[in-house]
Amino acid sequence: MDLDDIRAAASRIAGAVVRTPLVRCGELWIKPESLQPIGAFKLRGAYNALAELRPAGVVTHSSGNHGQALAYAAKSFGIPCVVVVPEGAPAVKTTAIAGHGAELVIVPPDQRVIAAEKLATERGLTMIPPYDHPSIIAGQGTIGLEIVEDLPDVEVVLIPVSGGGLASGIATAVKLLRPDVAVYGVEPELAADALESLTLGRRVSWDTSRTFRTIADGLRADLSDLTFSILRERLDGIVTVTEDQIKHAMRHLALKGRLVAEPSGAVATAAHLEGKVGQGRTVAILSGGNVDPELFGQVIQGG
């Protein structure tokens, strides 16, 4: 994975994906990927993968946003799409997946990968994983290119971490362009498998009984061997935030920045607000805004 791969991805997705602006929110710059057509950054990687691989049909497993992105991209390319989601996935996400024309398959959380792989074999579909694929990572890395272009003197970049595709792509782009920039991953305390993995120097997996405790439903996946190796090389560190800190960041983004963030999308802002990393010209990735309306209302009201 290098800059040529990410720049090629930027050319492929141009016109199909929004080049999101940097929005000032107090002393922080926000990269609002919630403004993408499917409400999250995942469209970058999904569209790049289909444009590069040109499959006849696709299947994936997803907590919601990657499924929406792949369904949206597959519709654009005129190919069938099947999305396997875990029980308990937010209705706002599963409804959107089906709305883009994909077939929705709901399974227990610990069965989603197995189910997707079985469908790929049985139906002859191409698996497009949410993060464990070079084309996906390159697509997400286009965010890093845009950050450096739009804020050349950036000093700190904060990125939500789940399976690690987003952080792998952005960290690669930023570090190869600006090695002096500090790049940090951010996780919920209740799903901090990436922090444990990088601390121990080996990939650690957390059971769904642990990760499903966090409100940040998009940050419950484990790192893959590929993303672990990239993050180990590129990240300056990983910090964690509490559930209350995530909710506070959601309120802050809504009231101060006029930006809607789902819990997963607010963790990078939470890390900044809580002083988890050094100060300086900081960009926080708002990775998605697909939040359940009832939950959002409760959070804004201080619940």
Side-chain angles (χ1 to χ4, degrees), residues 117-135:
E117 291 174 343
K118 182 179 180 182
L119 285 166
T121 300
E122 292 177 349
R123 302 191 190 182
L125 300 170
T126 298
M127 173 73 83
I128 306 292
Y131 52 86
D132 189 26
H133 195 287
S135 297

Side-chain angles (χ1 to χ4, degrees), residues 253-270:
L253 287 164
L255 300 177
K256 302 296 184 181
R258 280 75 62 193
L259 294 168
V260 174
E262 61 188 273
S264 305
V267 297
T269 298

Side-chain angles (χ1 to χ4, degrees), residues 145-217:
L145 294 182
E146 294 172 11
I147 290 171
V148 174
E149 288 173 3
D150 292 348
L151 190 67
D153 57 353
V154 60
E155 295 175 283
V156 181
V157 177
L158 304 174
I159 314 166
V161 175
S162 182
L166 176 65
S168 292
I170 294 176
T172 296
V174 171
K175 283 294 190 179
L176 291 180
L177 289 168
R178 288 285 310 282
D180 57 310
V181 175
V183 182
Y184 289 92
V186 186
E187 286 185 302
E189 283 187 359
L190 297 183
D193 56 283
L195 173 61
E196 184 177 351
S197 295
L198 293 180
T199 300
L200 295 176
R202 58 181 174 83
R203 192 168 68 85
V204 174
S205 178
W206 281 28
D207 188 81
T208 54
S209 63
R210 298 178 70 186
T211 59
F212 268 61
R213 297 172 299 164
T214 180
I215 192 176
D217 60 276

